[in-house]
Amino acid sequence: MPTALQHEYLRAMGINVWQDKTAEPIVADVPEVIESKAQAEPSLSNDLQALAKEVSVCEACSLAASRTQTVFGTGSSEAEWLIIGEAPGQEEDKQGKPFVGKAGQLLTSMLRALGYAREQVFIANILKCRPPNNRDPEAEEVAACANFLNKQIELIQPKVILCVGRIAAQNLLQIDTPIGKMRGNQYTHPSSEIPVLVTYHPAYLLRSPREKRKVWKDLCLAKQSFESIQ
Ligand code: SF4
């Protein structure tokens, strides 16, 4: 049963959780992490800072020519959860941060419903530079950028990886299964053996709010996977 604050974040996600009106109101049982307001952006470890510097001057694919700046990723260097999206969009390219704007706010609500502040996880993308007009990443761009993500995984050593969206999942897992078939399954990251779970991208949820309940199911499954390896 979700806690009171989780209800709040589920509502923020647009999910109304059924509740027995005759039952006692849901009280305090709220993890401190989601009680706290937004925390300061954690500083990266030295190794991640060095990698971010390397990424910032990368010209290994043609996206270097059109980007405003690279988007390395943000969060805790010791995060147990790594969230992986597709690539920076227009706002991310402007701000240099992943998942900003409405989709970013929805991702923050998804994480908070799970019991995590955004600053406690690490959020990154398959590509570190924005594809023009937000087109899908090309295979050669993904290949050129893959080492950076692999290095991030190696340095952070998360316990679980959550891919948001088809592009992130297919590229990370190197499969072409449709996202509807990937959901509900646990995969293994090919080089690190870390468990990988898959759900829809928050930008898709903004267009298809009816799918939010499925996402909540995916998040619960991801949490179960995470807890089973504790
Ligand atoms: Fe380099 Fe990746 Fe940016 Fe391409 S997308 S220029 S490989 S950092």
Side-chain angles (χ1 to χ4, degrees):
M1 171 73 74
T3 64
L5 201 59
Q6 282 171 312
H7 267 264
E8 202 181 296
Y9 289 120
L10 286 168
R11 271 197 299 275
M13 283 174 65
I15 298 173
N16 291 316
V17 180
W18 180 85
Q19 196 182 337
D20 181 358
K21 288 197 169 56
T22 61
E24 288 292 308
I26 301 165
V27 284
D29 179 27
V30 177
E32 286 193 5
V33 295
I34 53 175
E35 237 179 354
S36 61
K37 297 290 176 203
Q39 297 164 11
E41 198 65 63
S43 54
L44 295 178
S45 66
N46 290 343
D47 286 342
L48 280 171
Q49 278 181 36
L51 184 62
K53 211 168 164 192
E54 211 183 305
V55 168
S56 70
V57 293
C58 174
E59 295 185 348
C61 81
S62 61
L63 298 180
S66 54
R67 74 185 176 215
T68 305
Q69 59 193 312
T70 56
V71 179
F72 179 70
T74 53
S76 166
S77 306
E78 290 160 10
E80 294 181 317
W81 287 69
L82 175 62
I83 316 297
I84 301 180
E86 172 183 336
Q90 189 174 23
E91 258 324 291
E92 287 82 7
D93 174 70
K94 251 192 229 164
Q95 295 188 32
K97 291 181 182 168
F99 285 91
V100 294
K102 282 191 175 164
Q105 282 164 15
L106 184 53
L107 179 66
T108 303
S109 292
M110 287 159 61
L111 292 170
R112 286 185 176 246
L114 260 187
Y116 295 98
R118 190 178 158 117
E119 298 77 14
Q120 290 178 295
V121 306
F122 198 93
I123 304 174
N125 282 310
I126 296 282
L127 292 185
K128 311 305 182 201
C129 301
R130 181 192 179 210
N133 303 316
N134 298 344
R135 64 155 169 76
D136 287 355
E138 306 278 0
E140 55 273 22
E141 294 160 356
V142 173
C145 215
N147 274 345
F148 290 136
L149 182 59
N150 285 336
K151 192 78 188 158
Q152 284 176 309
I153 293 171
E154 202 183 303
L155 292 173
I156 297 166
Q157 294 191 7
K159 296 221 165 96
V160 65
I161 295 174
L162 179 67
C163 283
V164 293
R166 172 184 65 86
I167 304 262
Q170 290 182 341
N171 283 297
L172 187 81
L173 297 168
Q174 296 159 21
I175 55 176
D176 58 7
T177 311
I179 188 161
K181 292 205 170 140
M182 279 190 261
R183 288 186 51 250
N185 295 307
Q186 181 179 305
Y187 292 87
T188 303
H189 179 239
S191 57
S192 66
E193 311 237 317
I194 294 168
V196 177
L197 284 301
V198 177
T199 194
Y200 292 122
H201 194 286
Y204 168 72
L205 293 182
L206 291 172
R207 299 191 300 272
S208 309
R210 290 167 69 98
E211 305 288 36
K212 287 178 182 173
R213 283 183 177 275
K214 291 186 187 165
V215 170
W216 178 235
K217 238 174 139 182
D218 298 340
L219 295 177
C220 292
L221 179 66
K223 185 112 186 195
Q224 270 171 27
S225 298
F226 172 72
E227 285 168 355
S228 71
I229 50 172
Q230 294 305 295

